[in-house]
Amino acid sequence: MMKRRLFTTAALAATALASAAPALAQDNTFKIGLILPMTGQQATTGRQIEAAVRLYMAQNGDSVAGKKIQLIVKDDTSLPDTTRRLAQELVVNDKVNVLAGFGITPSALATAPIATQSKTPMVVMAAATSSITQASPYIVRTSFTLPQVSVALADWAPKNGIKTVVTLVSDYGPGIDAEKYFKDRLTFNGGQVTDALRVPLRNPDFAPFLQKVRDNKPDALFVFVPSGAGAAVMKQFLERGLDKAGIRLIATGDVTDDDQLNDMGDGALGVVTSHHYSAAHPSALNKRFVEAFSKANKGLRPNFMAVGGYDGMRVIYEALKTSKGQSGDALLEAMKGQLFESPRGKIFIDAQTRDIVQSVYLRKVEKKDGQLYNVEFDVIKDVKDPGKNK
Ligand code: PHB
C-alpha cells in the first residue's frame, strides 16, 4: 500500500514536471529560481551568491531579449530534500525558466532529475564535485571542480620541498575528489600521502584529526573544507602548534576563503593554496567587480562563490539573447560554448561537458594595505576538469 502510494506520488510529480515546460513559452517574464543556503552552516555561500546575482542585474538591467527577468530566491538551508522540494515547486508552480545556485554537492545532485524531467537548464554556481555535470544533460557549471584545483597544488608541492603530506578533507563528494586527485598527482610526482583523514561535513571537530597530523609529522598538511569552515581549521591548526612543529599548511582556496580570510589573523600569512579566484586578482575587470560588490554590500569582499554567481548570471543573460528569448533546449544550447572574460580571468563553458574550463592560480596569503589577501604568484591556464578524462 505504502509502496503504491509512493509510486503514485512520484508518477504524478513526473507528469507535472514533464508538462511544466511548454507552458513557459507565451509568458513575457523570464524567471530564475535561485536556490541557496541562506541560513545554517553554508549561509556565507548564499549571502555571497545572492549579492553577486543582484549586482549583475543592477549592472545589466532586468530586461533581456524582450523578457522581464524575475529572480525568485529560496533558502534550502543546505538540506538536499529541501532543495529538491523547492526546485519541484519552482518548476511546477512558478514555472521558472532556469534553476540556479546550489551551495553544496548533495543539493545539486538532488535537483538534477528535476532539471532532466522538466527540461529546465540548471546553472550550478557553487557546488564543485566533478561528477555533478554528469547527473543531468541540463546542468551547466560556472563554479569549479575540486580535481581542477587540487592537481595544481600537487604539482607545486614536491618542487617546493614538500615530499610527505597528510590529507584532511570533508567527508563527502568534493572532499573525496580533492583527496583522490591530490594524492594521485603527488604520488605521480614522487611525493607520498602518509595518511588520509576525513572529517564529517556537519559540525566538524578538527582537534582530534589535527592531533593525529601532529603525531604523523608530515612536511605538509593538505586541506579541503567547504567555504565557511576554513577559519575554524586555521585557528585550530595554529592553536595546536602545527606550524611550530614545522608542518606547512597547504590547501584549496576554499580554506583561505576571501569571505573570512581577513579575520584569520597573521597566522594565515604564507599559506599556499590553489584556486580559480582571488579578490586580489590583478585585472581591471576584477578591480571594478570587487569595488562594486563591496560598495553594494557594506564593504563585503567577494569570494569565489560570488564570482560563480556573477558569471552564472552572465551565462544566462547571454544565452537568452542568443536564443532570442526562448527557453528549454534552445536556452541550454546557447549556454554551451560561451567564452568570456570573468573577474577571475578568461573562462569557457565546454560545450561537450557543460563544465567550466579556466585558469588555476597558485596563491600565497600576504598582507596588502593592512589586509590579508590570496596573492597569485603562478598560473596554469585553461584547465579542464581532470575528472572528465576518465
Ligand atoms: C560542494 O559541496 O560541492 C562544495 C561546497 C563548498 C565549497 C566547495 C564545494 O567551497
Side-chain angles (χ1 to χ4, degrees):
M1 182 64 195
M2 190 60 192
K3 232 186 190 157
R4 172 177 294 179
R5 185 170 310 143
L6 272 179
F7 174 75
T8 313
T9 314
L12 272 177
T15 315
L17 284 172
S19 59
L24 308 170
Q26 306 97 25
D27 207 329
N28 229 17
T29 57
F30 181 92
K31 295 182 187 171
I32 303 172
L34 184 64
I35 311 179
L36 292 169
M38 302 305 299
T39 52
Q41 206 171 284
Q42 259 70 43
T44 56
T45 294
R47 172 178 67 169
Q48 286 274 349
I49 294 181
E50 183 184 4
V53 164
R54 293 202 186 279
L55 176 64
Y56 190 90
M57 292 182 70
Q59 291 175 333
N60 295 277
D62 63 357
S63 168
V64 182
K67 302 260 175 189
K68 174 129 175 93
I69 309 290
Q70 187 189 341
L71 185 68
I72 307 175
V73 182
K74 299 280 182 191
D75 176 13
D76 69 358
T77 69
S78 276
L79 292 175
D81 286 345
T82 308
T83 322
R84 183 181 12 234
R85 177 177 56 74
L86 291 170
Q88 171 107 16
E89 287 169 9
L90 284 166
V91 167
V92 174
N93 301 340
D94 297 294
K95 309 220 180 306
V96 296
N97 306 76
V98 171
L99 289 163
F102 309 102
I104 60 169
T105 289
S107 299
L109 292 178
T111 308
I114 294 175
T116 306
Q117 286 165 33
S118 65
K119 300 184 188 294
T120 308
M122 169 172 161
V123 179
V124 174
M125 297 170 161
T129 300
S130 172
S131 64
I132 288 174
T133 43
Q134 287 156 329
S136 166
Y138 285 86
I139 292 179
V140 170
R141 171 154 45 199
T142 59
S143 52
F144 71 109
T145 79
L146 265 304
Q148 199 172 42
V149 298
S150 302
V151 160
L153 202 56
D155 282 337
W156 175 85
K159 291 187 219 141
N160 289 274
I162 295 171
K163 298 276 186 255
T164 56
V165 179
V166 172
T167 59
L168 174 72
V169 301
S170 291
D171 191 5
Y172 77 122
I176 291 159
D177 270 359
E179 178 191 280
K180 178 180 170 8
Y181 282 85
F182 180 84
K183 181 184 175 177
D184 286 357
R185 184 64 77 103
L186 186 76
T187 310
F188 176 81
N189 288 332
Q192 192 192 351
V193 168
T194 52
D195 204 357
L197 308 172
R198 296 180 182 178
V199 297
L201 171 62
R202 309 264 171 214
N203 307 310
D205 175 11
F206 299 108
F209 295 96
L210 292 173
Q211 191 54 48
K212 270 189 106 172
V213 178
R214 221 197 132 124
D215 298 342
N216 190 298
K217 291 199 187 63
D219 295 332
L221 170 66
F222 166 80
V223 181
F224 163 79
V225 290
S227 185
V233 174
M234 188 69 75
K235 185 162 174 278
Q236 293 189 30
F237 181 87
L238 299 170
E239 274 175 11
R240 307 225 134 225
L242 272 74
D243 55 332
K244 301 214 171 59
I247 300 167
R248 293 187 67 179
L249 178 62
I250 57 175
T252 63
D254 309 73
V255 174
T256 55
D257 183 347
D258 271 305
D259 190 81
Q260 300 186 319
L261 178 60
N262 210 21
D263 298 323
M264 288 185 194
D266 288 356
L269 285 169
V271 171
V272 171
T273 57
S274 55
H275 230 206
H276 55 292
Y277 179 68
S278 164
H281 179 64
S283 72
L285 180 63
N286 186 50
K287 284 199 181 107
R288 287 201 300 275
F289 170 66
V290 173
E291 242 174 65
F293 185 95
S294 170
K295 194 162 166 229
N297 297 284
K298 301 194 181 93
L300 184 67
R301 189 194 285 185
N303 71 357
F304 61 98
M305 293 299 186
V307 89
Y310 193 74
D311 291 341
M313 285 302 282
R314 183 187 159 130
V315 167
I316 296 169
Y317 268 48
E318 292 304 316
L320 192 55
K321 288 180 198 166
T322 307
S323 78
K324 303 197 167 42
Q326 279 184 274
S327 287
D329 286 353
L331 186 70
L332 177 73
E333 283 313 309
M335 290 180 176
K336 297 178 187 173
Q338 285 193 29
L339 168 72
F340 60 93
E341 195 196 344
S342 147
R344 65 185 110 176
K346 195 181 79 182
I347 67 171
F348 172 53
I349 305 297
D350 184 337
Q352 215 183 349
T353 61
R354 291 160 281 101
D355 219 336
I356 187 164
V357 178
Q358 59 191 332
S359 290
V360 173
Y361 305 88
L362 286 157
R363 312 97 51 86
K364 185 185 267 180
V365 178
E366 286 176 15
K367 211 168 233 180
K368 275 194 356 187
D369 307 325
Q371 299 206 21
L372 297 180
Y373 281 99
N374 294 297
V375 176
E376 297 166 357
F377 64 85
D378 203 358
V379 58
I380 303 105
K381 289 201 169 148
D382 303 330
V383 182
K384 276 192 170 194
D385 172 30
K388 299 295 181 313
N389 299 333
K390 294 271 136 57

